[in-house]
Amino acid sequence: MTVRAIAGLVVLNAFVLAVGACVLWALRGWREWSDFLRLSGVAYLLGLAALFVVWTLELVLGIPFGAVSVALTGLGLALAAIAVGYRRGRRAPRLGSLPPSLVRPALLGALVVAAIAVYLEALFRPGRLSGNGWDVWGSWLPKAKEIYFGGGLDAELFASLPGPSYPPGLPALHAAAFHAMGSADSATLHLQQWFLAVGFAAAVAGLLARRVRGWILLPLLLLLLLMPDVRNRATDLYADVPLGYQLAVAALLVLLWIEDRHAWKLWAGTLLLSGAMLTKREGILFAACIVAAALVASFRERRSLWPRLGVAAVAAFALALPWRIWFMAQDVPSDAPEAGYLGVFDHLDRFWPSIELVVSTFFDYDLWLLVPTLVVAASVLAYLGGARREAAFALTLLVTSLVGSAWTYWSNPSLEISRDDGLVNRVVGSPLLMLGALLPLLLELAWSGNRARAAVSERGGGSIRTRRAALAAGIVLVAVAAYPAITLAGGAPRFPSYDDCIQAPVAGQQVRVVFGYAETYPDASALRDRAFASGFEGTEVAQDGCGRVRVFLDDVPSLAIGQEVVEEARGVGLDPALEQDPDD
Amino acid sequence: MAGYRCPIADGAGTDTRLNDTSSSERIRSVVASFGEWPSGVIRFGVVLCVGLALAVVIAGAYRDALEGSDFWADRHSGSDYATRSVPNETAIGSKQVAEDARLWMPEDATYRIVASPDLEGPLEWAAPDFLAGFLLPRRQTDSEDAEWVFCYLCDTAELGDQFETLSDGGNGVLFGRMRP
């Protein structure tokens, strides 16, 4: 809850980005830094997924998890990626020119970019001091704290918690965040999820910036980010939204690979699918949906594409396999459905209600605005426009992920088929993010008649263009600066501290003499015993309400008497202070 | 069906000729093309989709998002230590007792939970997990040798004379230690 904790998170996420940049350079390389700027969101998510994979392997192998191991792991990944990059003939990038979208901006685009930036700023504020949700206390936080304090996996603890075999990717990230913040500060930890949201928005925008015209891409990206259920959960500490981010960018990369066969997209998608599988058990289910959609979409090119897809799917699963081996070896309860994989047929009565529940939730405007409806419309338009592969991909992903979501209910009889607990929103959120990320591409293909939009040529800029660029940049900068300025004008941000529980004495009211504060009751008791021994009978110890123990003499009738007591105490070597007695 | 050319430029189009025309001419050209079947109708559908997205954003979704963020930011900022940092009472029975336990136990302590056989609901199935999450690095154990004890509606007489109550939630939730 301190500036230092926030600064620690900034450093950690810059570190994740740097690792991901090296991985992206190995997979793709980039000629100019502007290329990297455009793909920085993808790089960030790749860094995250790569770290999830290696952290999980280290935890499974029993390598102690700590600040040093986190740093060395990142360094090792970065060096390995750089070595692979050089081996593959990648060259150091040059400065080059600005991305065309920056050189030739549209004013509408600038307004929407400004709106997205302000929205992300706004999302930061509630995350900073948030409390923890139910399953966060009950499952995610104990795992993260165990990795942070214990430096590894405790099979007994994991087995005792809900979701015992849920993978450790996110808890490991949270443990790394604790190290970066300097303490297990679960309130500030919510901001870690904010960085993921920024990375996701940047990744979708960067991947589609050259493929989709701005007036299609930006409003739909904004709509995607504003989906009420996603924004409500964007900074909670559950794994559902981070899972959705990784799956969404993976789905987009796989579809773009089917279009242009650039191998880096398939391998980047593969790594993200592994990251998703190590984020939550549904990662495997939805990864299978993405692979199924890719198989259907590439049916005509099956001879050349299916083998590569198969290798990618196996590789994605293999990278997540160490965790599965570990939890099975440790007899941690499995993540298989309660009814078993075939036992679902004993519960056929749940099949249709599960489908109804998932479909009705999926198309709920209050949760997702128009996104699901637009996905269906865009798929149909893309199909009519000749983009049949892409439409087939989207529609197959839609159907399989909905059936898959329903299967989670159908196959777990203990789950109540109801929307009351909000669980179904969390399950359906990933398909929504996956399909929502495809939406701009589908509409672009519909608009342009299935012609991939060529990279924009960089023609020389005239004075009008320069003025437009300056105006667009001005709009974004003013908006980005204005929001915090307006917010700060309403008062400086609050950083909770121990001082919140100290009230200055007020003349005419009862006061209390506080002999000191301690971090524990035993320390406080020792101080109280000293006060007792000095004749201050009636000295008490109690929680101060801010995480410490107060040692105090209560109900002192006036400030003057309190000052006399303070003088007396100082005479025997104690160092008390006067505070207002709020019981007065 | 797929052979038409996009006549609109968003400032980043690829058609030099069209980029040289004025914006209003380009828009007129686009609107005129909406009558073509099927390409124009598809393009109209795309414009409709983007327009609807923008309408939803402008009509309230964006304002709701900013107002929602403000509301939660204020609420979180105004919440106290116990609200933010201690699990809720539905799960653990008493914030006061749980916080007392954290302040009593050293970080290498082990504690056990003794519950009445009649205990049911969240206190029965959630309290152990929530206390684990809150109290780590202190360890939960089933061992009767544990020095520290939570009692959930338990019979303290069964814990023996050695049990010293250190915190009492007043609702059957106690925390204490076993004196040597």
Side-chain angles (χ1 to χ4, degrees), chain A residues 79-91:
Chain A
L79 290 175
I82 289 169
V84 170
Y86 271 113
R87 199 176 167 82
R88 298 183 67 186
R90 307 285 183 227
R91 294 283 173 267

Side-chain angles (χ1 to χ4, degrees), chain A residues 51-102:
Chain A
L51 287 166
F52 276 16
V53 169
V54 182
W55 282 341
T56 301
L57 184 63
E58 290 173 348
L59 287 167
V60 164
L61 293 175
I63 296 171
F65 188 98
V68 173
S69 74
V70 167
L72 290 178
T73 300
L75 190 64
L77 266 171
L79 290 175
I82 289 169
V84 170
Y86 271 113
R87 199 176 167 82
R88 298 183 67 186
R90 307 285 183 227
R91 294 283 173 267
R94 56 188 167 82
L95 264 181
S97 54
L98 284 170
S101 55
L102 289 181

Side-chain angles (χ1 to χ4, degrees), chain A residues 58-372:
Chain A
E58 290 173 348
L59 287 167
V60 164
L61 293 175
I63 296 171
F65 188 98
V68 173
S69 74
V70 167
L72 290 178
T73 300
L75 190 64
L77 266 171
L79 290 175
I82 289 169
V84 170
Y86 271 113
R87 199 176 167 82
R88 298 183 67 186
R90 307 285 183 227
R91 294 283 173 267
R94 56 188 167 82
L95 264 181
S97 54
L98 284 170
S101 55
L102 289 181
V103 177
R104 300 163 50 78
L107 294 184
L108 173 66
L111 285 172
V112 183
V113 168
I116 291 172
V118 168
Y119 166 68
L120 290 171
E121 287 181 331
L123 201 59
F124 183 92
R125 295 181 58 227
R128 196 172 64 82
L129 294 172
S130 180
N132 299 314
W134 185 271
D135 281 351
V136 175
W137 277 120
S139 179
W140 296 106
L141 201 54
K143 290 176 180 174
K145 280 187 163 183
E146 173 57 33
I147 295 171
Y148 173 65
F149 287 115
L153 303 171
D154 178 339
E156 198 177 334
L157 176 73
F158 272 59
S160 71
L161 299 171
S165 55
Y166 272 26
L170 194 68
L173 175 66
H174 290 166
F178 288 153
H179 283 293
M181 291 188 291
S183 69
D185 176 355
S186 66
T188 309
L189 183 61
H190 291 76
L191 289 183
Q192 177 53 51
Q193 312 295 89
W194 179 82
F195 285 98
L196 302 181
V198 174
F200 168 69
V204 174
L207 278 174
L208 295 179
R210 288 190 166 179
R211 301 295 300 267
V212 181
R213 59 205 72 228
W215 66 268
I216 293 177
L217 170 61
L218 294 170
L220 291 167
L221 177 59
L222 179 58
L223 185 73
L224 184 64
L225 295 173
L226 292 179
M227 289 192 297
D229 197 67
V230 170
R231 70 173 160 81
N232 286 345
R233 293 186 290 114
T235 57
D236 72 22
L237 295 178
Y238 291 76
D240 305 276
V241 175
L243 171 74
Y245 292 157
Q246 292 175 87
L247 288 168
V249 177
L252 195 51
L253 281 162
V254 170
L255 180 56
L256 291 171
W257 169 75
I258 291 172
E259 281 195 328
D260 64 19
R261 317 288 163 83
H262 289 163
W264 77 268
K265 290 175 182 164
L266 180 62
W267 299 120
T270 301
L271 188 53
L272 289 176
L273 289 181
S274 295
M277 291 181 202
L278 291 171
T279 301
K280 205 157 184 252
R281 65 175 175 173
E282 289 95 313
I284 296 177
L285 172 69
F286 292 129
C289 296
I290 291 172
V291 172
L295 291 173
V296 170
S298 60
F299 183 76
R300 286 189 173 177
E301 301 114 309
R302 57 188 177 280
R303 283 177 190 275
S304 62
L305 297 191
W306 281 16
R308 279 181 272 175
L309 265 175
V311 170
V314 170
F317 186 73
L319 290 175
L321 204 52
W323 167 248
R324 306 189 70 75
I325 293 171
W326 182 86
F327 79 68
M328 286 192 286
Q330 299 288 331
D331 284 333
V332 172
S334 158
D335 59 355
E338 291 165 13
Y341 291 102
L342 295 176
V344 288
F345 296 107
D346 297 334
H347 301 278
L348 283 173
D349 56 315
R350 291 177 63 86
F351 171 71
W352 188 246
S354 300
I355 294 279
E356 273 187 323
L357 173 71
V358 164
V359 172
S360 65
T361 306
F362 185 85
F363 285 99
D364 187 333
Y365 180 90
D366 290 338
L367 297 176
W368 322 106
L369 302 173
L370 274 181
V371 171

Side-chain angles (χ1 to χ4, degrees), chain A residues 104 106 115 125-126 129 134 137 145-146 162 213-215 384 446-447 451 453 459 494 520-521 543 545 547, chain B residues 1-2 4 6 10-12 19 50 62 70 76-77 81 84-85 96 100 102-104 129-130 133-134 139:
Chain A
R104 300 163 50 78
R125 295 181 58 227
L129 294 172
W134 185 271
W137 277 120
K145 280 187 163 183
E146 173 57 33
R213 59 205 72 228
W215 66 268
L384 292 174
W447 178 270
R451 265 198 279 211
R453 189 159 172 265
R459 290 180 285 268
R494 178 170 171 247
T520 66
Y521 272 115
Q543 293 176 23
Chain B
M1 185 181 289
Y4 59 83
C6 155
D10 63 345
N19 279 329
V50 176
Y62 194 72
D70 280 350
H76 293 159
S77 178
Y81 165 83
R84 189 181 299 117
S85 303
Q96 170 81 20
D100 275 341
R102 185 186 72 81
L103 291 164
W104 268 111
D129 305 332
F130 278 61
F134 177 60
R139 301 275 161 183

